[in-house]
Amino acid sequence: IKHPLQNTWTLWYYEPDRNKSWEESQREITSFDTAEDFWSLYNHIKTASELRQGCDYSMFKQGIRPMWEDDQNKCGGRWLINLDKKQRTTDLDNFWLEILLCMIGEAFNEYSDDVCGAVVNVRPKGDKLGIWTSNADCADSVMEIGRKLKERLRITSKTTMGYQVHKDTMIKAGSQTKNTYTL
Ligand code: M7G
C-alpha cells in the first residue's frame, strides 16, 4: 500500500492569457493524497525554473482555491521569499521542492492546519515563493511557520522574509506591500 498523507493536495497552474481573467487562467491540474502520487506528479511535470516567465504553480489543500478571495485565504497572508535573478538556477527548484515537502509532511507541527498552500511565481524581475496561511492575526502561528520555513530552506541572513496580509496586497497593485511580520 501507498503512504497516505494527512491531507489531500491540489496542484494548480497559471499561465497568462490576454483573453482570460486572472481567475480563469488558474487551472487545476490534479490532486493526490499519497507520498508516491506526489512523486509521480513531481517527476512528471516541469520544474519551476523550466516554466515560461509569467507562469505560476500553486499547491493548496484540496478545496482551497489559490486566491485571496477563498474563504480560507481571505483573512490570511503569505510569507514571501523574493529571489534575485541569479537564484533561478541555484535555489528556485530546491526551495520550491522543500516547501512542498514541508507542506505534505505537515512540518509545521501544531500550526500545520493554518497552512493553506504555496505559490511559485516565475517572473523576469525575480522569482517569488509564497507560503499562504489562513489567519494573519495569529502571530504565534505565522511566526512559527515562518521560522520553520527559514530553517528548512536554510535561508541565510542576506535573504529576509516578510509576511504580507492579502488584504494589503489586494489594494497595493504596483507599489510594494508592507510587511506585517519579518524574519
Ligand atoms: P502576482 O502574479 O501575484 O504577481 O499578481 P506579479 O505582479 O509579480 O505578477 C499579479 C496580478 O494577478 C495581481 O495584480 C492581480 O491582478 C492578479 N492576482 C494575483 N493574485 C494572487 C490574485 C488573487 O488571489 N485574486 C485575484 N482576483 N487576482 C489575483
Side-chain angles (χ1 to χ4, degrees):
I1 54 154
K2 297 195 263 193
H3 298 80
L5 302 174
Q6 192 100 15
N7 280 289
T8 303
W9 297 86
T10 303
L11 180 75
W12 299 73
Y13 174 66
Y14 168 86
E15 196 178 79
D17 179 338
R18 57 174 79 253
N19 301 308
K20 285 189 193 159
S21 68
W22 182 89
E23 284 195 35
E24 289 166 340
S25 306
Q26 282 287 351
R27 273 192 295 176
E28 203 177 314
I29 306 298
T30 189
S31 298
F32 57 89
D33 63 1
T34 69
E36 288 79 0
D37 291 342
F38 166 74
W39 286 113
S40 317
L41 173 63
Y42 183 83
N43 290 326
H44 176 75
I45 59 175
K46 286 183 177 172
T47 62
S49 65
E50 290 167 340
L51 293 181
R52 244 201 313 264
Q53 303 197 85
C55 295
D56 305 334
Y57 278 137
S58 303
M59 203 179 83
F60 276 72
K61 286 175 181 164
Q62 188 174 49
I64 308 181
R65 290 167 305 139
M67 37 194 89
W68 310 315
E69 294 85 352
D70 192 278
D71 272 347
Q72 293 297 313
N73 294 323
K74 66 184 187 202
C75 298
R78 62 170 174 177
W79 278 109
L80 182 62
I81 302 164
N82 281 300
L83 301 182
D84 57 49
K85 291 179 186 178
K86 289 172 296 188
Q87 287 178 289
R88 184 173 300 163
T89 42
T90 54
D91 295 324
L92 180 66
D93 294 336
N94 297 331
F95 283 180
W96 177 240
L97 177 58
E98 193 62 23
I99 290 170
L100 298 180
L101 294 177
C102 285
M103 293 201 302
I104 67 173
E106 310 285 335
F108 305 100
N109 305 321
E110 69 262 49
Y111 299 115
S112 283
D113 284 350
D114 287 5
V115 172
C116 296
V119 181
V120 55
N121 307 118
V122 182
R123 297 291 183 271
K125 58 184 189 268
D127 304 324
K128 291 180 282 182
L129 294 160
I131 178 149
W132 291 33
T133 76
S134 59
N135 193 338
D137 294 327
C138 286
D140 287 355
S141 147
V142 169
M143 290 306 281
E144 196 46 47
I145 290 167
R147 266 194 289 274
K148 181 59 97 177
L149 200 62
K150 213 167 170 176
E151 173 193 311
R152 286 281 300 257
L153 302 188
R154 282 178 262 124
I155 286 178
T156 51
S157 44
K158 79 172 163 95
T159 319
T160 61
M161 284 188 354
Y163 185 92
Q164 308 179 343
V165 176
H166 296 318
K167 282 186 176 131
D168 295 336
T169 308
M170 235 180 264
I171 57 167
K172 268 276 168 136
S175 54
Q176 271 220 302
T177 305
K178 71 164 195 282
N179 292 324
T180 298
Y181 307 93
T182 46
L183 268 174

